[in-house]
């Protein structure tokens, strides 16, 4: 038995090997107080109540004085409160520089931390490797086409002009846009919000380091780990997050592991998509941020080992590759691949070609895009979920979703276009057409409150089902508007952002389930329902990802407030006292959300990174005019020709 914990989150502790149980200290305390209260006589209870009332009256002026001091402690010279010290950023760490002796992962967070100065390698002019893809992209521009103006079905899109009226970084704290919302009194300063995310990261890292070091994922309850590919997935996914958060000691420890322990010469099957977005993407991004060629060398190694996946009759890649043997294959039960998987590896392979000047990586993924562009079976630009690696045709047609198996196809259309300097018109046309397809076929309003949501089409029937995964869409739409796409993309982004937030706050834990079903009939009591099987939360990033984009482009502080609430709820319901955070089974039961004993690598790679960037006031901390995030939140440079 464990004694009740004093922590203010539900403490999940383990009694004995493998057996976890909730130790809900708050509830325990409540029950015990209530029991004692019931044992008192009526006279005793009355006396206590009178005393409490008198104390309240006497202390009222002191309390209000105290609260006033809290709100204007900086101005009031008599206030006993000290002003909140601004977040002082640390000196950047140089590649190879040893960590300072006082920096341990257990240390208290000091104010002397923050983002390092980035390598900015993409900004180097005259680097021949920068020109490989750039020239090709320029060639693709049609003759006579005006710079930055694309026409799609009669609509002229000025791609040089942000339709949200901003350039990333232009919105300053005192701009009119910032006055749209103010942080409520429950919300902290920028410094303390950043610190709260760092604490969440360090708590996760502690669990990973103590129980899963060098393995794929932490199992925080059983204080062990699980393997997927056996390649240190969490560690690699988290590298650039640590760099961005300025966690030097942790970054150096992880880098040492990459240098000495990480090998891809292993007889293991890996999923092409997952290893591309997490491992190749993570290594490329860390190379760009640090300038350390260790990460580029590792990226080349994994990139070349993944290439056998493209050796298929159709050139549409297989889902799995054995990176040791160089043999690829589809899943055992089918020769299909998932559409999102084969169309969401392009940012990474294109960047690998640009850096190495070896065109085969870019050629392989461009071929996939070319084929998918031409395929029949789309519904107004929306794609089915499966594609056959022999025939190169869509299969299992009839289901159209922005959720699982299709989601990042749409994301990568826009992002490849941005990465390449907004010159590859076909990508833009496919993206804009798909968004029109979403509006025409998938967009509906819920009842009673009229939330805009993205449903699915299943064999001609509309289904009001929306995956949490779809919550990447507000961010992507906002990014498009920022890059000159129609202003109504931004309007839609804001509406969907509200819906995604509602998917959190309407749940008893304040955390979103994996899937919701919206009500559309008149007289509905609530806007959304959750089926029993869909009540889990895997610590996914999509909503906080979109909050980050929306805040960057609007500076509306409500998005930060929403992100702050979500972080608090992760802390309350998914934090494990011995280290790490866990996926949960039931977002509707705050007393027992039923932990799953797994911390996904994207919690460190994406969720906490986006929260950190959301709370940072610095628009140059990964500027959206210089970087494009891959679908695992690893920033890759926008190619220099576009800058
Ligand atoms: C991540 O691996 C990526 O964000 C991917 O695009 C979708 N699934 C997870 C996060 O939910």
């Amino acid at each position: 038995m464990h004694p009740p914990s004093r922590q203010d989150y539900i403490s999940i502790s383990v009694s004995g090997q493998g057996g976890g149980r909730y130790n809900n200290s708050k509830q325990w305390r409540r029950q015990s107080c209530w029991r004692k209260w019931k044992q008192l006589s009526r006279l005793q209870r009355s006396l206590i109540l009178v005393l409490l009332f008198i104390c309240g009256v006497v202390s009222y002026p002191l309390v209000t004085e105290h609260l006033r001091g809290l709100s204007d402690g900086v101005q009031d010279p008599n206030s006993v409160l000290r002003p909140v010290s601004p977040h002082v950023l640390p000196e950047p760490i140089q590649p190879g520089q040893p960590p300072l002796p006082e920096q341990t992962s257990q240390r208290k967070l000091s104010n002397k931390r923050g983002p390092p100065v980035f390598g900015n390698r993409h900004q180097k002019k005259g680097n021949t490797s920068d020109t490989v893809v750039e020239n090709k992209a320029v060639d693709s521009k049609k003759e006579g086409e005006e710079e930055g103006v694309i026409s799609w079905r009669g609509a002229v899109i000025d791609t040089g002009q942000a339709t949200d009226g901003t350039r990333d970084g232009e919105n300053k704290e005192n701009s009119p846009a910032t006055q749209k919302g103010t942080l409520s009194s429950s919300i902290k300063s920028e410094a303390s919000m950043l610190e709260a995310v760092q604490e969440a990261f360090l708590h996760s890292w502690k669990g990973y380091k103590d129980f899963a070091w060098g393995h794929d994922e932490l199992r925080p309850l059983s204080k062990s780990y699980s393997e997927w590919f056996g390649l240190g997935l969490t560690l690699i996914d988290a590298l650039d997050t640590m760099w961005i958060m300025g966690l030097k000691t942790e970054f150096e420890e992880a880098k040492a592991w990459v240098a000495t322990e990480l090998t891809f010469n292993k007889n293991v099957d890996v999923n092409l998509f997952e290893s591309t977005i997490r491992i190749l993407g993570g290594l490329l991004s860390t190379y760009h941020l640090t300038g350390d060629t260790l990460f580029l060398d590792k990226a080349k190694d994994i990139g070349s080992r993944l290439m056998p996946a493209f050796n298929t009759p159709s050139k549409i890649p297989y889902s799995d590759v054995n990176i040791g043997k160089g043999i690829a294959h589809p899943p055992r039960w089918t020769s299909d691949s998932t559409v999102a998987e084969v169309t969401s590896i392009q940012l990474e392979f294109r960047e690998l070609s640009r850096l190495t000047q070896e065109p085969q990586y870019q050629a392989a993924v461009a071929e996939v895009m070319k084929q998918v562009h031409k395929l029949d079976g789309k519904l107004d630009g929306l794609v089915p979920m499966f594609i056959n690696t022999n025939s190169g045709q869509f299969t299992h047609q009839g289901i159209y979703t922005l959720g699982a198996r299709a989601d990042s196809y749409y994301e990568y259309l826009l992002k490849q276009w941005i990465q390449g300097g907004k010159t590859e018109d076909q990508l833009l046309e496919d993206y804009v057409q798909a968004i029109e397809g979403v509006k025409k076929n998938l967009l509906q309003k819920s009842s009673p409150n009229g939330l805009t949501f993205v449903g699915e089409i299943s064999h001609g029937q509309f289904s009001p089902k929306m995956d949490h995964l779809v919550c990447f869409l507000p961010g992507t739409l906002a990014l498009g508007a920022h890059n000159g796409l129609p202003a109504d993309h931004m309007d839609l982004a804001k509406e969907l952002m509200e819906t995604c937030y509602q998917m959190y706050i309407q749940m008893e834990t304040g955390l979103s389930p994996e899937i919701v079903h919206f009500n559309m009939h008149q007289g509905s009591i609530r806007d959304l329902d959750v089926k029993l099987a869909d009540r889990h939360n895997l610590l996914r990033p999509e909503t906080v990802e979109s909050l980050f984009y929306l805040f960057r482009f609007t500076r509306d502080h409500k998005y930060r407030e929403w992100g702050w609430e979500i972080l608090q709820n992760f802390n309350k319901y998914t934090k494990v006292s011995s280290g790490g955070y866990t996926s949960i089974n039931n977002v509707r039961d705050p007393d027992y959300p039923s932990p799953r004993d797994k911390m996904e690598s994207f919690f460190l790679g994406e969720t906490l990174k986006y929260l950190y960037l959301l709370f940072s006031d610095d628009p140059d901390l990964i500027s959206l005019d210089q970087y494009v995030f891959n679908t695992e939140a690893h920033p890759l440079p926008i190619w220099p020709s576009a800058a």
Side-chain angles (χ1 to χ4, degrees):
M1 286 286 286
H2 293 259
S5 152
R6 279 168 187 263
Q7 287 144 324
D8 65 354
Y9 51 83
I10 290 183
S11 165
I12 302 168
S13 51
V14 178
S15 55
Q17 188 69 25
R21 81 183 168 79
Y22 271 93
N23 186 1
N24 188 333
S25 55
K26 262 189 182 170
Q27 202 181 345
W28 184 88
R29 274 202 304 270
R30 264 203 308 272
Q31 282 169 357
S32 143
C33 288
W34 180 243
R35 214 175 300 126
K36 283 188 183 132
W37 176 254
K38 296 280 277 184
Q39 284 162 359
L40 297 175
S41 70
R42 187 170 297 174
L43 179 67
Q44 284 170 318
R45 284 191 223 160
S46 308
L47 272 173
I48 289 171
L49 287 175
V50 168
L51 271 173
L52 282 175
F53 178 73
I54 292 169
C55 287
V57 169
V58 169
S59 62
Y60 176 75
L62 294 173
V63 172
T64 48
E65 195 55 38
H66 176 78
L67 289 178
R68 205 173 304 127
L70 266 183
S71 61
D72 51 28
V74 179
Q75 287 87 7
D76 181 1
N78 300 321
S79 169
V80 286
L81 292 165
R82 293 282 160 269
V84 179
S85 33
H87 197 60
V88 182
L89 304 180
E91 287 303 305
I93 191 168
Q94 299 302 325
Q97 180 185 321
L100 300 174
E102 73 275 14
Q103 292 172 325
T104 70
S105 60
Q106 276 79 30
R107 72 193 174 288
K108 254 206 116 23
L109 283 164
S110 80
N111 282 339
K112 291 188 178 168
R113 18 197 34 251
V117 173
F118 302 132
N120 264 345
R121 298 184 63 78
H122 65 287
Q123 287 178 330
K124 279 190 184 161
K125 299 279 177 206
N127 180 347
T128 46
S129 70
D130 285 343
T131 59
V132 176
V133 183
E134 190 183 310
N135 291 340
K136 202 173 164 198
V138 169
D139 289 346
S140 73
K141 193 184 286 293
K142 291 180 197 82
E143 245 180 70
E145 198 168 74
E146 262 183 274
E147 184 66 38
V149 177
I150 306 270
S151 160
W152 182 78
R153 294 213 177 152
V156 176
I157 298 159
D158 182 352
T159 57
Q161 185 66 51
T163 54
D164 63 354
T166 69
R167 278 179 59 78
D168 188 36
E170 275 184 355
N171 282 315
K172 295 291 175 228
E173 276 305 294
N174 56 0
S175 73
T178 62
Q179 287 152 22
K180 277 189 208 157
T182 49
L183 288 178
S184 74
S185 54
S186 63
I187 299 289
K188 311 273 189 287
S189 66
E190 181 213 13
S192 52
M193 289 192 291
L194 292 178
E195 204 161 291
V197 188
Q198 283 177 325
E199 274 170 12
F201 184 94
L202 288 172
H203 187 79
S204 309
W205 193 248
K206 177 186 175 336
Y208 179 72
K209 208 176 148 185
D210 289 352
F211 310 121
W213 185 250
H215 299 285
D216 282 344
E217 290 144 339
L218 169 66
R219 298 183 61 209
L221 290 172
S222 46
K223 298 184 179 172
S224 62
Y225 58 84
S226 54
E227 294 293 30
W228 191 4
F229 309 141
L231 297 173
L233 213 52
T234 295
L235 188 149
I236 299 175
D237 229 356
L239 283 169
D240 55 7
T241 305
M242 289 185 271
W243 186 264
I244 288 166
M245 289 185 182
L247 300 172
K248 300 178 191 179
T249 310
E250 293 72 16
F251 177 82
E252 287 300 326
E253 286 166 349
K255 181 183 142 184
W257 184 87
V258 171
T260 57
E261 306 288 327
L262 178 62
T263 171
F264 297 124
N265 189 14
K266 272 186 159 179
N267 180 10
V268 287
D269 274 357
V270 303
N271 174 284
L272 170 68
F273 163 73
E274 299 290 358
S275 52
T276 298
I277 64 170
R278 299 182 200 217
I279 299 177
L280 180 56
L283 291 168
L284 287 172
S285 139
T286 308
Y287 164 65
H288 277 292
L289 298 181
T290 63
D292 191 328
T293 52
L294 164 70
F295 300 107
L296 179 58
D297 292 342
K298 291 288 179 189
K300 281 186 218 165
D301 190 12
I302 184 71
S304 60
R305 288 172 185 275
L306 292 173
M307 286 302 279
F310 296 90
N311 295 335
T312 68
S314 66
K315 304 269 183 283
I316 300 295
Y318 289 134
S319 59
D320 299 285
V321 197
N322 185 306
I323 52 173
K325 293 184 178 164
I327 298 168
H329 60 88
R332 232 171 254 139
W333 58 91
T334 175
S335 53
D336 290 349
S337 286
T338 296
V339 171
E341 291 196 358
V342 301
T343 55
S344 311
I345 49 181
Q346 279 66 15
L347 289 175
E348 300 81 357
F349 277 92
R350 283 156 52 110
E351 179 59 10
L352 189 58
S353 270
R354 191 179 74 92
L355 290 170
T356 59
Q357 300 190 64
E358 293 175 22
Q360 70 271 23
Y361 307 111
Q362 165 147 23
V365 294
E367 173 65 21
V368 179
M369 294 311 297
K370 197 174 113 198
Q371 290 194 38
V372 171
H373 171 76
K374 287 192 295 205
L375 281 183
D376 290 334
K378 291 184 198 156
L379 173 68
D380 300 315
L382 304 175
V383 290
M385 297 154 88
F386 295 99
I387 186 164
N388 190 270
T389 50
N390 294 320
S391 68
Q393 300 296 313
F394 289 131
T395 61
H396 301 93
Q397 298 193 34
I399 299 181
Y400 299 94
T401 173
L402 265 273
R405 300 188 183 279
D407 48 358
S408 42
Y409 161 72
Y410 305 101
E411 179 188 351
Y412 268 38
L413 287 174
L414 178 75
K415 288 184 172 177
Q416 286 179 78
W417 176 70
I418 293 172
Q419 178 192 43
K422 306 189 206 172
T423 56
E424 296 151 287
D425 299 352
Q426 207 166 74
L427 293 166
L428 177 65
E429 284 164 17
D430 286 354
Y431 175 74
V432 176
Q433 189 194 12
I435 299 304
E436 291 306 310
V438 170
K439 288 192 220 161
K440 182 173 162 197
N441 300 287
L442 304 183
L443 223 51
Q444 286 289 349
K445 298 254 185 216
S446 68
S447 176
N449 290 309
L451 297 174
T452 305
F453 70 93
V454 182
E456 298 182 355
I457 295 281
S458 179
H459 306 289
Q461 293 290 309
F462 180 80
S463 159
K465 162 181 179 277
M466 180 164 151
D467 295 352
H468 180 271
L469 287 169
V470 181
C471 290
F472 80 92
L473 188 59
T476 298
L477 286 166
L479 181 65
H482 178 70
N483 282 281
L485 301 197
D488 69 345
H489 285 207
M490 193 63 182
D491 301 337
L492 181 55
K494 288 177 185 170
E495 285 177 37
L496 291 173
M497 191 73 262
E498 170 74 40
T499 304
C500 290
Y501 172 59
Q502 291 296 328
M503 286 164 63
Y504 282 72
I505 53 158
Q506 294 201 14
M507 296 300 112
E508 287 77 352
T509 56
L511 293 174
S512 171
E514 180 74 356
I515 299 170
V516 300
H517 284 79
F518 287 90
N519 289 317
M520 292 171 65
H521 49 271
Q522 293 283 317
S524 301
I525 292 164
R526 49 185 298 162
D527 288 89
L528 52 94
D529 290 323
V530 188
K531 293 191 192 301
L532 268 179
D534 303 334
R535 293 185 170 189
H536 47 291
N537 178 297
L538 305 184
L539 313 171
R540 285 198 192 277
E542 290 76 18
T543 294
V544 294
E545 168 185 352
S546 285
L547 288 171
F548 156 66
Y549 283 103
L550 269 285
F551 179 74
R552 271 278 171 103
F553 296 139
T554 67
R555 304 304 279 194
D556 187 335
H557 281 265
K558 80 177 175 196
Y559 298 122
R560 270 191 176 169
E561 290 199 40
W562 295 355
W564 180 251
E565 267 179 68
I566 291 171
L567 176 62
Q568 299 315 302
N569 291 325
F570 278 134
N571 278 334
K572 206 162 168 190
Y573 296 107
T574 71
K575 190 171 180 178
V576 180
S577 55
S578 53
Y581 288 70
T582 179
S583 305
I584 55 174
N585 277 318
N586 192 353
V587 295
R588 308 222 50 186
D589 187 348
D591 292 329
Y592 190 73
S594 177
R596 280 194 160 189
D597 196 15
K598 180 155 165 162
M599 183 173 78
E600 300 277 352
S601 78
F602 50 69
F603 184 61
L604 303 193
E606 297 194 71
T607 310
L608 294 179
K609 184 189 287 149
Y610 281 129
L611 280 167
Y612 190 83
L613 292 172
L614 167 67
F615 297 146
S616 168
D617 279 339
D618 182 2
D620 292 327
L621 183 57
I622 316 293
S623 159
L624 292 170
D625 291 325
Q626 292 183 327
Y627 290 94
V628 63
F629 285 89
N630 85 340
T631 194
E632 189 76 6
H634 298 303
L636 298 174
I638 294 172
W639 293 343
S641 60

